[in-house]
Amino acid sequence: IDLANATFDELEQLSQACEPASFGRNKEDVMDENYRKARKMDPKYFSAQLVPERIELVKVVRDYLLEGKASKRDIKVELYKLNVYDKGSFFKSHVDTPRGKNMFGSLVIVFPTAHEGGTLYLRHHGQEWTFDSASELSGLPTPSIGYIAFFSDVEHEVAPVISGHRVTLTYNLFFD
């Protein structure tokens, strides 16, 4: 599917090809649609031609997220999953479960699919930021993507999607 130009029906087919999304709690994967209602596809079932290293997103992450000695370290980017949030989908406030000892953050790429809602809220040390991909990506030239990178200890949530499909690729960020 060309996610920059996908129709509602194509996005609905993608959603149906996905399975319900679990989330990490302690060292377990948990399924609870009262806490997270979304769909996901593991990387073994799809290929992504979007490679963060190829479009210099790793450099952007390093330049804007890391400071001091950490800004000089090599970063390994690992595709974690494709997520589809359709009407009524959400993910309550949480902190990511580390997927390895060198994991320091996440990179989320958001595709310009038509949707309303699904704002990403991030909170850390009393500060809050929002990323409303629906409004940020609407009207941009095709192809365009949105992205956000954040540390693993940042609390975040996805507000309910009101309509359409919010489609993301999530990458785990590791110090190499």
Side-chain angles (χ1 to χ4, degrees):
I1 294 177
D2 174 4
L3 290 172
N5 298 296
T7 66
F8 181 88
D9 288 340
E10 289 172 325
L11 293 170
E12 192 61 28
Q13 288 174 359
L14 174 63
S15 180
Q16 294 307 310
C18 295
E19 59 188 51
S22 59
F23 58 92
R25 183 183 298 150
N26 298 320
K27 294 184 179 181
E28 295 180 54
D29 280 334
V30 177
M31 187 71 63
D32 180 353
E33 286 197 346
N34 292 312
Y35 197 80
R36 181 182 194 192
K37 183 178 179 196
R39 302 192 61 81
K40 63 111 176 172
M41 186 178 290
D42 293 326
K44 64 183 174 184
Y45 298 114
F46 71 94
S47 65
Q49 296 189 351
L50 187 89
V51 180
E53 297 88 344
R54 227 182 281 151
I55 58 173
E56 296 196 22
L57 271 179
V58 174
K59 181 182 180 329
V60 172
V61 168
R62 182 180 288 108
D63 290 350
Y64 289 95
L65 195 62
L66 303 176
E67 298 175 336
K69 290 180 183 178
S71 68
K72 306 284 189 248
R73 295 183 71 180
D74 289 334
I75 297 173
K76 178 180 155 194
V77 179
E78 180 181 278
L79 180 58
Y80 180 53
K81 66 175 80 171
L82 178 140
N83 292 292
V84 178
Y85 290 83
D86 52 16
K87 184 177 178 179
S89 295
F90 62 90
F91 197 172
K92 289 186 178 178
S93 188
H94 65 285
V95 174
D96 285 341
T97 301
R99 301 291 172 173
K101 67 178 184 166
N102 290 333
M103 183 176 165
F104 69 89
S106 297
L107 170 65
V108 178
I109 294 177
V110 185
F111 292 95
T113 55
H115 65 282
E116 183 182 352
T119 299
L120 178 65
Y121 292 91
L122 301 110
R123 296 177 196 90
H124 195 252
H125 295 300
Q127 295 185 359
E128 181 174 279
W129 302 267
T130 60
F131 177 52
D132 181 355
S133 57
S135 65
E136 294 287 338
L137 295 174
S138 94
L140 290 179
T142 304
S144 295
I145 59 167
Y147 62 89
I148 188 162
F150 51 91
F151 290 107
S152 297
D153 65 342
V154 171
E155 178 185 326
H156 54 285
E157 70 179 284
V158 177
V161 171
I162 297 166
S163 65
H165 299 83
R166 177 183 182 269
V167 180
T168 66
L169 288 177
T170 301
Y171 296 82
N172 293 327
L173 301 172
F174 298 89
F175 286 122
D176 201 8

Short mmCIF file of all heavy atoms in Angstrom, two decimals, residues 49-65 75 77 107 109 145 147 149 173:
data_model
loop_
_atom_site.label_atom_id
_atom_site.label_comp_id
_atom_site.label_asym_id
_atom_site.label_seq_id
_atom_site.Cartn_x
_atom_site.Cartn_y
_atom_site.Cartn_z
N GLN A 49 10.06 0.22 3.09
CA GLN A 49 11.14 0.79 2.30
C GLN A 49 11.64 2.09 2.91
O GLN A 49 12.61 2.66 2.43
CB GLN A 49 10.68 0.99 0.87
CG GLN A 49 10.38 -0.34 0.20
CD GLN A 49 10.12 -0.22 -1.27
OE1 GLN A 49 10.00 0.87 -1.80
NE2 GLN A 49 10.05 -1.34 -1.94
N LEU A 50 10.98 2.53 3.96
CA LEU A 50 11.41 3.72 4.68
C LEU A 50 12.47 3.29 5.69
O LEU A 50 12.17 2.60 6.66
CB LEU A 50 10.23 4.36 5.39
CG LEU A 50 10.56 5.69 6.02
CD1 LEU A 50 10.33 6.80 4.99
CD2 LEU A 50 9.72 5.91 7.24
N VAL A 51 13.70 3.67 5.45
CA VAL A 51 14.82 3.31 6.31
C VAL A 51 15.36 4.60 6.93
O VAL A 51 15.91 5.44 6.23
CB VAL A 51 15.93 2.58 5.51
CG1 VAL A 51 17.09 2.21 6.40
CG2 VAL A 51 15.35 1.35 4.82
N PRO A 52 15.18 4.78 8.25
CA PRO A 52 15.58 6.04 8.89
C PRO A 52 17.03 6.46 8.60
O PRO A 52 17.30 7.64 8.43
CB PRO A 52 15.37 5.77 10.38
CG PRO A 52 14.28 4.76 10.41
CD PRO A 52 14.54 3.88 9.20
N GLU A 53 17.92 5.50 8.52
CA GLU A 53 19.32 5.83 8.25
C GLU A 53 19.49 6.43 6.85
O GLU A 53 20.33 7.29 6.64
CB GLU A 53 20.22 4.59 8.38
CG GLU A 53 20.26 3.98 9.76
CD GLU A 53 19.18 2.95 10.02
OE1 GLU A 53 18.19 2.89 9.26
OE2 GLU A 53 19.31 2.20 10.99
N ARG A 54 18.69 5.98 5.91
CA ARG A 54 18.80 6.44 4.52
C ARG A 54 18.31 7.87 4.35
O ARG A 54 18.76 8.57 3.45
CB ARG A 54 18.01 5.50 3.60
CG ARG A 54 18.81 5.11 2.38
CD ARG A 54 18.03 4.23 1.43
NE ARG A 54 18.01 2.86 1.91
CZ ARG A 54 17.04 2.00 1.67
NH1 ARG A 54 15.99 2.34 0.95
NH2 ARG A 54 17.10 0.78 2.14
N ILE A 55 17.36 8.29 5.16
CA ILE A 55 16.83 9.65 5.03
C ILE A 55 17.35 10.55 6.16
O ILE A 55 16.77 11.59 6.44
CB ILE A 55 15.29 9.65 4.96
CG1 ILE A 55 14.67 9.00 6.20
CG2 ILE A 55 14.81 8.99 3.69
CD1 ILE A 55 13.15 9.12 6.26
N GLU A 56 18.40 10.16 6.79
CA GLU A 56 19.12 10.94 7.81
C GLU A 56 18.33 11.22 9.08
O GLU A 56 18.66 12.13 9.83
CB GLU A 56 19.68 12.23 7.21
CG GLU A 56 20.71 11.96 6.13
CD GLU A 56 21.55 13.17 5.78
OE1 GLU A 56 21.66 14.10 6.60
OE2 GLU A 56 22.09 13.17 4.68
N LEU A 57 17.31 10.42 9.38
CA LEU A 57 16.58 10.61 10.62
C LEU A 57 17.44 10.29 11.84
O LEU A 57 17.25 10.88 12.90
CB LEU A 57 15.30 9.78 10.65
CG LEU A 57 14.07 10.45 10.09
CD1 LEU A 57 12.87 9.53 10.13
CD2 LEU A 57 13.76 11.75 10.78
N VAL A 58 18.37 9.37 11.69
CA VAL A 58 19.25 9.04 12.81
C VAL A 58 20.09 10.27 13.18
O VAL A 58 20.29 10.57 14.36
CB VAL A 58 20.14 7.83 12.50
CG1 VAL A 58 21.17 7.59 13.60
CG2 VAL A 58 19.27 6.58 12.32
N LYS A 59 20.55 11.00 12.18
CA LYS A 59 21.31 12.22 12.43
C LYS A 59 20.44 13.25 13.13
O LYS A 59 20.86 13.92 14.08
CB LYS A 59 21.86 12.79 11.12
CG LYS A 59 22.68 14.05 11.28
CD LYS A 59 23.15 14.59 9.95
CE LYS A 59 23.98 15.83 10.03
NZ LYS A 59 23.73 16.75 11.09
N VAL A 60 19.20 13.39 12.70
CA VAL A 60 18.27 14.33 13.33
C VAL A 60 18.05 13.93 14.79
O VAL A 60 18.09 14.78 15.70
CB VAL A 60 16.93 14.40 12.57
CG1 VAL A 60 15.90 15.21 13.32
CG2 VAL A 60 17.15 14.96 11.17
N VAL A 61 17.82 12.65 15.05
CA VAL A 61 17.63 12.16 16.42
C VAL A 61 18.86 12.50 17.25
O VAL A 61 18.75 13.04 18.36
CB VAL A 61 17.34 10.65 16.44
CG1 VAL A 61 17.43 10.09 17.86
CG2 VAL A 61 15.97 10.36 15.84
N ARG A 62 20.02 12.19 16.74
CA ARG A 62 21.26 12.45 17.47
C ARG A 62 21.41 13.95 17.76
O ARG A 62 21.70 14.35 18.87
CB ARG A 62 22.47 11.95 16.69
CG ARG A 62 23.79 12.17 17.44
CD ARG A 62 25.01 11.70 16.68
NE ARG A 62 25.06 10.25 16.65
CZ ARG A 62 24.82 9.51 15.56
NH1 ARG A 62 24.53 10.08 14.42
NH2 ARG A 62 24.89 8.20 15.62
N ASP A 63 21.18 14.78 16.76
CA ASP A 63 21.39 16.23 16.91
C ASP A 63 20.39 16.88 17.86
O ASP A 63 20.74 17.83 18.57
CB ASP A 63 21.31 16.92 15.55
CG ASP A 63 22.50 16.60 14.65
OD1 ASP A 63 23.48 15.99 15.14
OD2 ASP A 63 22.43 16.94 13.45
N TYR A 64 19.15 16.41 17.87
CA TYR A 64 18.12 17.10 18.65
C TYR A 64 17.73 16.40 19.94
O TYR A 64 17.14 17.03 20.82
CB TYR A 64 16.87 17.32 17.79
CG TYR A 64 17.11 18.36 16.73
CD1 TYR A 64 17.49 17.99 15.45
CD2 TYR A 64 16.99 19.72 17.02
CE1 TYR A 64 17.73 18.94 14.47
CE2 TYR A 64 17.23 20.67 16.05
CZ TYR A 64 17.60 20.28 14.78
OH TYR A 64 17.85 21.23 13.82
N LEU A 65 18.06 15.14 20.09
CA LEU A 65 17.64 14.41 21.29
C LEU A 65 18.79 14.18 22.26
O LEU A 65 18.59 14.18 23.46
CB LEU A 65 17.01 13.07 20.87
CG LEU A 65 16.19 12.32 21.90
CD1 LEU A 65 14.98 13.14 22.33
CD2 LEU A 65 15.73 10.98 21.34
N ILE A 75 24.14 4.90 16.94
CA ILE A 75 22.75 4.53 17.22
C ILE A 75 22.34 3.42 16.29
O ILE A 75 22.54 3.49 15.08
CB ILE A 75 21.81 5.74 17.03
CG1 ILE A 75 22.18 6.85 18.02
CG2 ILE A 75 20.35 5.32 17.19
CD1 ILE A 75 21.41 8.13 17.79
N VAL A 77 19.03 1.45 14.92
CA VAL A 77 17.59 1.64 14.78
C VAL A 77 17.00 0.29 14.39
O VAL A 77 17.41 -0.32 13.41
CB VAL A 77 17.29 2.69 13.69
CG1 VAL A 77 15.80 2.87 13.52
CG2 VAL A 77 17.96 4.00 14.03
N LEU A 107 11.49 5.93 18.07
CA LEU A 107 11.26 6.79 16.92
C LEU A 107 9.95 6.34 16.31
O LEU A 107 9.79 5.16 15.98
CB LEU A 107 12.40 6.66 15.90
CG LEU A 107 12.19 7.31 14.54
CD1 LEU A 107 12.08 8.83 14.67
CD2 LEU A 107 13.31 6.93 13.58
N ILE A 109 7.33 7.06 13.24
CA ILE A 109 7.08 7.70 11.96
C ILE A 109 5.58 7.61 11.69
O ILE A 109 4.99 6.53 11.79
CB ILE A 109 7.89 7.03 10.83
CG1 ILE A 109 9.37 7.28 11.09
CG2 ILE A 109 7.45 7.55 9.47
CD1 ILE A 109 10.31 6.63 10.12
N ILE A 145 6.10 12.71 5.62
CA ILE A 145 5.88 11.92 6.82
C ILE A 145 6.04 12.84 8.02
O ILE A 145 6.62 13.91 7.92
CB ILE A 145 6.86 10.73 6.96
CG1 ILE A 145 8.31 11.23 6.98
CG2 ILE A 145 6.63 9.69 5.87
CD1 ILE A 145 9.33 10.20 7.41
N TYR A 147 7.38 12.62 12.16
CA TYR A 147 8.15 11.75 13.04
C TYR A 147 8.37 12.42 14.37
O TYR A 147 8.32 13.65 14.50
CB TYR A 147 9.50 11.37 12.42
CG TYR A 147 10.40 12.55 12.16
CD1 TYR A 147 11.28 13.00 13.13
CD2 TYR A 147 10.36 13.22 10.95
CE1 TYR A 147 12.10 14.09 12.91
CE2 TYR A 147 11.17 14.31 10.71
CZ TYR A 147 12.04 14.74 11.69
OH TYR A 147 12.83 15.84 11.47
N ALA A 149 10.78 11.51 18.06
CA ALA A 149 11.67 10.63 18.82
C ALA A 149 11.64 11.08 20.27
O ALA A 149 11.58 12.29 20.55
CB ALA A 149 13.09 10.69 18.27
N LEU A 173 15.23 2.55 19.56
CA LEU A 173 16.53 3.19 19.42
C LEU A 173 17.47 2.63 20.48
O LEU A 173 17.15 2.64 21.68
CB LEU A 173 16.40 4.70 19.59
CG LEU A 173 15.48 5.42 18.61
CD1 LEU A 173 15.30 6.88 19.02
CD2 LEU A 173 16.02 5.32 17.20
#
